[in-house]
Amino acid sequence: MKAVVVLTVLASLVAAPAPAYASRAALALEVLSSRADQVSGGDALIRVRQTRGARLKVLRNGEDVTQSLTKTADGLTGLVTGLADGDNTITAVAWPHRENLRVRNHSIQGPIFSGAHQYPFLCKTERSGLGPPAVDNQDGQGMRVSGGWSKDCFAPTVTDRLYRSTDGTYKPMPAQRPADLATTTLLDGRTVDFVVRRERGVINRFLYSIAMLEDGWNGRAIYRFDGGVAIGHDQGTLGGAALDPYGLGKGYAILHSSGTRTSTHYNLILGGETALMVKERFVERHGLPLYTVGVGGSGGAIQQYIYGQNHGNRVIDAAVPQYSYPDMVTQTIHVGDCELLERYMDHNPRWARWDDRTALIGMNASDTVPNPYNGRPGSDECVNGWRGLTPLTMNPLWTSDNDPEWQRMDPPGVKDTVQWTHWDDLRKVYGVDERGYARSTWDNVGVQYGLRALTDGVITPEEFLDVNAKAGSWKEAADMVQEGCPFVPSACPADLDPWSARNANLGDPAPRRTGDPVAIRNVQRSGLVFRGDIDLPIIDWRPYLEDQLDMHNSHQSFASRKRMLDHDGRAGNQVIWFTDARPDGPKFDQTPEALRVIDEWMADIRKYPARGVTGNRPPDAVDRCFATDGTQIAAGPHVWDGVLDRRSPGACTQRFPLYSTSRIVAGGPIEGGVYKCRLQPVERAVARGLYGSWQPTADQRARLKQIFPTGVCDY
């Protein structure tokens, strides 16, 4: 296939810094759209820089493709197509100089590095407006379509034109200018018609969307990441963020994929691969943007931290993570405690007052917030925010996915072949045990629930001993049974078991569970754990939702900062913003302000690259907190004093109380991430004063040893 010219490549948008060798060599050859070994779809945007030599010529696998490239001030730039699967060679020749670059091309359906595709896999191209998936095989691994099988859910690319109506909706753009066509004001102050050109298709088996104003791209891009929780085996759908009205209205290009929504899956190795491929597609069609900024909340925020760590600035150049966590996989550590502790407290009159429960779970609790499971006042974050996440993560027999399309899969019952756990969704990472089940990291051996509450005098020694004796642990996946009510609606109301007690190891003392060391080692090496290795501009913003018992607990922004500090002693590239959302929920979105500051930050980096990310922070790129209407309360380097240091609490620290987790209450660090603690003998813990003013009697020491026969955590 003859190579073609990309007419939309703008010279001002491909003026990225030259590689270090360019000034020394007569020819410098590079791929702009991806890493040279991670090209996909049979094409690549390349750039050739020439400092001396005869007339420049470019070859693809020996065939002259020079006419496909556009002349620039110092060489050639353009899209080279027709790449074969596997290794290819791009050659630049300017006699007597010659430069070769090996390019490895992969299928547009992947994989590149994420490993073999997951099956069964539910296609959703038809419901997403792309038509039925193409019939591509007969092996029964996908959804049956028109008499054949679609294994990889592929559908042809579709482009369309939409307009933003004055009523706030998007509509198909007619041939004539509609009377209700809205206008929008771009970053540069120009006002243009709000007409959007959109491209949709399938990349890496997931749906993707690239949208931008037809007349008003500002040269910048936003990658919109979405949150949620899911177990994969599903193509997913595009979210509303794909047509983000604020970003489009200001002239940003919007990149989006169902594969970078954690409501589709939580395999962020696969998600990172998908994001790279979507970004590659965009660059090949439109050239390098000035920068790409990530925006997204919850799981969308996690993706920004993980992809920024794993892929540098190849997906995003800056990040606006909203109501963030450092990662998902280490949240399973303390979330796995929730139902164990809730079952214990629900059956003990001592904990009838909900406000008291923070002493054990660390998270916020309230006597007045309605409980969604009984309709009465009184709840906590484990109930309001996390109930159901334990069976979703751990029980292979249960899934919250009641999508009717699964019931129409042919052959029937294919859904029942899946082990519906987070561990199994990432079995390529965690590994598989001798019984055929994915290995699990969850461990609570030696964890002393309520330790800080004990040393603070909030609970008595007897209460401390009792909860640790009776909290219990989780069974192995192979031994779990189907959940009851409310997780399985047909079991309601008689078979009530919101604690998943049927899948817990109980008793007095109840046994603890040892995490699989292979799984722990594998996930720590996988890139799924945020280690703090990130050097992008980050504005970590969250509405303060603690009073709503929301699952996005506010200390998580500081958990990410602490991991960054632990990594290399620096976190100057991350600023933390809180906006008050009390008493009735969020009233103001600080994202436009964050995008404005990011734009200044990125402009400074382009102007003064030697200063680095931290050295180019503009005045507003500092820690800040805001009132409910978005007005600033305080800003500066000391507003969050007292969170990660021993200074007196800063202005924002005082205004926004932080809560913790069951593992922090048990003595663990704020940054979390300790899958399995180091153990110490009970006698050593007593001698070191781990229990504060409590000096256990001989009987109490014997009870501690009975509960913790292998020792207690030494964090």
Side-chain angles (χ1 to χ4, degrees):
M1 176 179 177
K2 187 176 180 181
V4 297
V5 181
V6 179
L7 299 178
T8 55
V9 175
L10 305 178
S12 63
L13 301 182
V14 297
Y21 54 78
S23 61
R24 300 193 300 270
L27 293 175
L29 178 59
E30 62 180 324
V31 177
L32 296 176
S33 49
S34 67
R35 262 178 39 176
D37 63 338
Q38 294 181 359
V39 170
S40 66
D43 50 16
L45 184 65
I46 71 161
R47 173 167 60 192
V48 186
R49 294 180 183 271
Q50 178 185 16
T51 60
R52 59 187 181 275
R55 186 169 179 268
L56 182 60
K57 183 167 64 173
V58 177
L59 309 175
R60 179 205 62 220
N61 297 327
E63 180 181 352
D64 191 340
V65 294
T66 311
Q67 296 303 313
S68 302
L69 307 179
T70 301
K71 189 170 180 58
T72 62
D74 60 353
L76 297 171
T77 298
L79 189 70
V80 173
T81 65
L83 298 172
D85 287 346
D87 289 338
N88 298 261
T89 301
I90 307 294
T91 304
V93 181
W95 193 90
H97 307 291
R98 185 183 187 94
E99 184 74 20
N100 290 320
L101 177 65
R102 191 175 82 168
V103 172
R104 186 162 186 80
N105 175 58
H106 306 262
S107 167
I108 195 66
Q109 289 299 83
I112 296 177
F113 54 77
S114 65
H117 285 327
Q118 182 185 65
Y119 298 108
F121 193 72
L122 178 61
C123 303
K124 292 184 175 176
T125 57
E126 195 161 12
R127 75 157 64 172
S128 300
L130 298 182
V135 177
D136 54 22
N137 69 71
Q138 296 288 328
D139 68 0
Q141 294 293 327
M143 182 178 179
R144 189 172 181 101
V145 180
S146 303
W149 290 97
S150 177
K151 180 179 181 182
D152 287 332
C153 300
F154 186 76
T157 299
V158 173
T159 59
D160 59 359
R161 299 170 71 228
L162 306 169
Y163 75 95
R164 183 82 169 170
S165 169
T166 51
D167 66 8
T169 64
Y170 288 101
K171 299 178 181 179
M173 183 67 184
Q176 301 297 320
R177 191 180 192 279
D180 61 342
L181 173 60
T183 59
T184 186
T185 302
L186 306 175
L187 285 182
D188 62 9
R190 289 186 297 132
T191 298
V192 300
D193 287 342
F194 207 135
V195 180
V196 176
R197 184 171 292 275
R198 177 177 61 169
E199 173 187 324
R200 289 173 296 154
V202 179
I203 289 177
N204 210 21
R205 301 203 303 169
F206 296 105
L207 306 169
Y208 79 93
S209 168
I210 296 172
M212 59 203 314
L213 286 180
E214 193 167 68
D215 181 24
W217 182 36
N218 63 28
R220 301 154 176 84
I222 294 174
Y223 199 120
R224 286 299 304 253
F225 299 97
D226 280 352
V229 180
I231 305 296
H233 295 276
D234 194 315
Q235 188 175 36
T237 57
L238 296 172
L243 291 172
D244 168 23
Y246 178 82
L248 286 171
K250 289 299 179 183
Y252 292 90
I254 306 297
L255 286 63
H256 183 73
S257 169
S258 65
T260 50
R261 307 183 73 196
T262 56
S263 58
T264 302
H265 67 87
Y266 243 115
N267 182 344
L268 300 194
I269 306 302
L270 176 62
E273 177 182 75
T274 303
L276 287 166
M277 295 172 74
V278 171
K279 177 72 173 291
E280 176 190 16
R281 173 78 176 192
F282 174 79
V283 172
E284 288 170 350
R285 298 302 182 267
H286 304 286
L288 283 173
L290 289 172
Y291 62 81
T292 302
V293 55
V295 177
S298 190
I302 288 172
Q303 291 180 80
Q304 294 173 67
Y305 276 113
I306 292 296
Y307 303 158
Q309 169 183 267
N310 293 351
H311 307 298
N313 62 356
R314 292 171 53 218
V315 176
I316 56 175
D317 303 286
V320 183
Q322 303 160 325
Y323 34 98
S324 67
Y325 307 93
D327 57 47
M328 179 271 186
V329 292
T330 59
Q331 299 306 304
T332 63
I333 298 169
H334 63 268
V335 171
D337 296 334
C338 268
E339 304 305 353
L340 298 174
L341 294 174
E342 290 296 327
R343 183 203 61 81
Y344 170 79
M345 291 186 289
D346 281 347
H347 292 82
N348 189 326
R350 160 66 176 87
W351 302 99
R353 185 173 181 269
W354 284 88
D355 281 351
D356 291 346
R357 297 194 179 199
T358 297
L360 296 186
I361 65 172
M363 304 172 191
N364 197 14
S366 169
D367 285 325
T368 59
V369 172
N371 190 308
Y373 293 91
N374 60 27
R376 297 191 296 270
S379 191
D380 60 31
E381 189 188 319
C382 273
V383 173
N384 271 42
W386 293 104
R387 179 151 283 172
L389 269 293
T390 295
L392 179 65
T393 301
M394 301 185 185
N395 189 345
L397 299 176
W398 181 76
T399 173
S400 62
D401 189 347
N402 295 312
D403 194 321
E405 288 191 39
W406 275 109
Q407 310 310 322
R408 296 198 296 270
M409 288 286 279
D410 187 358
V414 67
K415 181 179 180 181
D416 299 331
T417 66
V418 176
Q419 295 177 22
W420 292 99
T421 68
H422 162 69
W423 321 120
D424 192 77
D425 189 34
L426 283 147
R427 60 167 41 211
K428 287 178 285 190
V429 171
Y430 292 110
V432 180
D433 65 19
E434 297 78 7
R435 301 169 75 177
Y437 287 85
R439 299 178 184 273
S440 166
T441 59
W442 195 80
D443 182 294
N444 70 341
V445 173
V447 175
Q448 300 188 91
Y449 296 118
L451 177 62
R452 185 169 298 176
L454 169 70
T455 59
D456 289 345
V458 177
I459 63 175
T460 67
E462 290 72 21
E463 290 167 341
F464 171 74
L465 291 170
D466 195 61
V467 65
N468 280 288
K470 297 175 182 176
S473 63
W474 297 110
K475 294 179 180 178
E476 299 302 319
D479 301 322
M480 287 191 170
V481 297
Q482 183 56 272
E483 300 290 332
C485 179
F487 307 121
V488 177
S490 60
C492 295
D495 189 17
L496 181 65
D497 186 10
W499 318 279
S500 300
R502 66 196 64 201
N503 288 312
N505 295 310
L506 303 175
D508 185 3
R512 300 297 182 95
R513 184 186 189 278
T514 300
D516 189 303
V518 173
I520 294 172
R521 181 175 66 249
N522 287 351
V523 75
Q524 288 175 331
R525 296 173 175 176
S526 68
L528 294 171
V529 175
F530 180 64
R531 306 181 312 276
D533 183 9
I534 190 170
D535 192 30
L536 308 177
I538 302 169
I539 297 179
D540 186 305
W541 171 69
R542 69 175 63 243
Y544 182 75
L545 301 171
E546 295 292 357
D547 284 15
Q548 283 83 49
L549 307 183
D550 187 87
M551 68 192 302
H552 304 98
N553 39 71
S554 298
H555 87 276
Q556 300 288 352
S557 296
F558 299 95
S560 296
R561 175 170 291 182
K562 185 60 166 61
R563 294 191 193 188
M564 294 166 70
L565 292 169
D566 289 345
H567 173 69
D568 61 7
R570 296 176 294 177
N573 58 310
Q574 183 218 41
V575 299
I576 295 174
W577 295 2
F578 279 21
T579 300
D580 208 340
R582 294 169 289 188
D584 301 317
K587 296 289 192 297
F588 192 88
D589 185 357
Q590 223 77 42
T591 307
E593 168 77 352
L595 290 173
R596 179 190 67 80
V597 175
I598 287 290
D599 194 55
E600 293 181 13
W601 203 340
M602 295 305 299
D604 289 346
I605 290 172
R606 292 194 301 276
K607 189 174 182 180
Y608 306 108
R611 295 180 183 176
V613 174
T614 301
N616 276 299
R617 282 179 17 177
D620 287 334
V622 293
D623 289 341
R624 303 166 74 185
C625 57
F626 305 86
T628 53
D629 62 358
T631 58
Q632 183 172 287
I633 298 170
H638 297 294
V639 296
W640 294 115
D641 280 1
V643 177
L644 296 180
D645 54 45
R646 297 180 181 275
R647 298 189 184 105
S648 298
C652 296
T653 310
Q654 295 178 55
R655 184 72 172 258
F656 299 97
L658 299 183
Y659 294 85
S660 63
T661 70
S662 55
R663 297 299 172 104
I664 296 174
V665 173
I670 187 173
E671 63 269 27
V674 181
Y675 280 103
K676 185 173 185 60
C677 69
R678 180 176 57 191
L679 297 174
Q680 59 184 322
V682 167
E683 293 293 353
R684 184 168 184 266
V686 172
R688 293 176 60 193
L690 192 66
Y691 303 105
S693 61
W694 177 43
Q695 292 296 316
T697 65
D699 287 346
Q700 289 170 332
R701 292 190 189 205
R703 180 66 161 157
L704 278 171
K705 292 176 183 178
Q706 182 190 30
I707 298 168
F708 302 107
T710 58
V712 298
C713 285
D714 179 4
Y715 287 105

